[in-house]
Amino acid sequence: MKLATFEIDDEEHVGAVEGEEIVVIDVPSMRALFELGTPVQEKAEERKTSRRYPLKDVRLRAPIIPKKIYHSAGNYAEHAQEGDRSNWVAAIKPWIVFFQNVDAIIGPEDPIVYPEHLTKELDYELELCAVIAKSGKFISEEEAEDYIGGYVIFNDITARDIQRREMQSSNFVFSKSIDTFCPFGPWIVTADEIPDPYNLALELRVNGEKRQISNSSHMSVTIPQLIAKFSPTGFSAGDILTTGTVSGVAAFSKDPQAWYLKPGDQIEAEIEKIGVLRNQVVSWKDAHGVDAPEFVGF
């Protein structure tokens, strides 16, 4: 089942995408749906209403606003290797994790605002994410499979010049947590629809040009391992766990300045069996109606 949050007639709803239509599910929010229990697709089926709309007539929003985003990174060796080749400021190793800023979440077709006063090196990172099905802590690897409620696409927008300075002190949260830097979508595909998440084609395009091309089979860890590893902090139903990006980011390319994002760029982040997450980069002035403050860096 494809579960989406959408807006129509200035009202926000949760729905199930069925072909070219979306059916309203009677819950106050996507997180509330996940909090009803598992399996989430059965809870959604029980609460389907007779209200449905053409998909083309609604505005999709970020599918869920979790309590916590567990931002895991370094789980694709190919990304680490390209970092080494580019002499990146620090080695990229598995099991990196930090909490992401939920206030930075945006949905499909929402603009990514380029904060020109903070960064000159805006980058992208395509990631497969798991949505946590139920609350729990101290979860074993064997139990963790039952905590996967679905999957969603994440484009990890990163200010590389800020990140480079942050990583000198082994901390790089701010560079990924600025407003609009967390696009998620276009919907959540429930886990029963993707029985094998380790064989999904991954592709990110900028203005139609293929930048990241890989497969989730290259992941060096499993999602249950990640869930078990970080579970002592306590998961809530609807939390999001990212799994890291693949090779092909701008910062590690042969010509980073040519590949860094700029206002007007259209990004398409695609994962097989989930869909395409589209966002356009806009200038600070276009987003806020005023020029960006003087560049201060970080």
Side-chain angles (χ1 to χ4, degrees):
M1 185 179 289
K2 293 177 180 176
L3 297 172
T5 297
F6 69 98
E7 187 178 294
I8 190 167
D9 298 329
D10 297 322
E11 291 186 355
E12 194 168 277
H13 304 278
V14 174
V17 177
E18 297 181 352
E20 298 302 314
E21 294 186 316
I22 189 163
V23 182
V24 175
I25 297 170
D26 185 18
V27 288
S29 68
M30 186 70 74
R31 200 167 81 200
L33 174 61
F34 273 76
E35 289 169 348
L36 289 174
T38 58
V40 65
Q41 66 272 15
E42 292 183 7
K43 301 301 181 183
E45 191 69 40
E46 291 169 2
R47 285 161 178 77
K48 279 185 182 177
T49 70
S50 59
R51 299 166 62 193
R52 57 178 61 227
Y53 302 94
L55 192 56
K56 64 180 179 60
D57 291 344
V58 307
R59 179 181 178 183
L60 294 178
R61 311 297 299 190
I64 192 167
I65 305 298
K67 286 186 178 179
K68 297 187 291 294
I69 302 172
Y70 290 79
H71 196 141
S72 177
N75 300 318
Y76 284 85
E78 62 191 72
H79 182 50
Q81 290 163 2
E82 68 173 356
D84 291 342
R85 287 194 298 269
S86 70
N87 294 315
W88 187 239
V89 65
I92 301 170
K93 299 182 181 296
W95 304 111
I96 296 169
V97 69
F98 56 90
F99 288 125
Q100 180 60 278
N101 176 19
V102 296
D103 289 339
I105 291 175
I106 59 172
E109 307 295 344
D110 287 340
I112 297 166
V113 179
Y114 195 135
E116 294 102 333
H117 57 301
L118 296 178
T119 180
K120 302 299 182 186
E121 299 180 3
L122 199 65
D123 208 346
Y124 49 81
E125 291 188 3
L126 168 61
E127 302 198 26
L128 170 69
C129 300
V131 184
I132 301 299
K134 56 185 178 180
S135 61
K137 61 176 63 175
F138 298 107
I139 301 162
S140 70
E141 188 177 329
E142 293 71 29
E143 297 169 320
E145 196 75 40
D146 293 336
Y147 284 80
I148 304 173
Y151 301 94
V152 67
I153 301 169
F154 172 43
N155 183 3
D156 176 20
I157 302 298
T158 306
R160 294 295 187 194
D161 39 6
I162 296 175
Q163 185 190 33
R164 191 179 295 107
R165 289 189 289 277
E166 284 188 297
M167 288 188 75
Q168 292 172 349
S169 60
S170 301
N171 172 34
F172 54 97
V173 177
F174 185 85
S175 57
K176 293 174 176 284
S177 300
I178 298 169
D179 190 40
T180 75
F181 276 23
C182 293
F184 283 102
W187 38 61
I188 296 166
V189 177
T190 53
D192 60 304
E193 297 285 337
I194 305 179
D196 182 10
Y198 309 107
N199 188 25
L200 302 176
L202 309 171
E203 184 172 294
L204 183 139
R205 301 176 292 275
V206 178
N207 302 325
E209 179 185 21
K210 296 178 181 180
R211 298 284 185 87
Q212 292 184 284
I213 306 171
S214 192
N215 192 285
S216 61
S217 62
H218 300 168
M219 200 185 307
S220 62
V221 299
T222 68
I223 295 172
Q225 285 174 333
L226 292 171
I227 290 173
K229 180 80 170 180
F230 307 134
S231 68
T233 61
F235 292 111
S236 297
D239 281 349
I240 288 176
L241 172 66
T242 79
T243 61
T245 197
V246 298
S247 60
V249 299
F252 302 157
S253 68
K254 292 182 179 179
D255 188 358
Q257 291 303 323
W259 272 26
Y260 282 133
L261 298 169
K262 60 186 182 299
D265 283 348
Q266 179 83 13
I267 313 168
E268 295 176 302
E270 182 171 5
I271 298 181
E272 183 181 3
K273 296 187 178 181
I274 300 180
V276 180
L277 170 64
R278 294 184 180 87
N279 299 93
Q280 187 171 37
V281 182
V282 302
S283 69
W284 182 272
K285 184 173 184 177
D286 285 344
H288 298 283
V290 295
D291 291 330
E294 184 177 349
F295 180 73
V296 294
F298 189 79

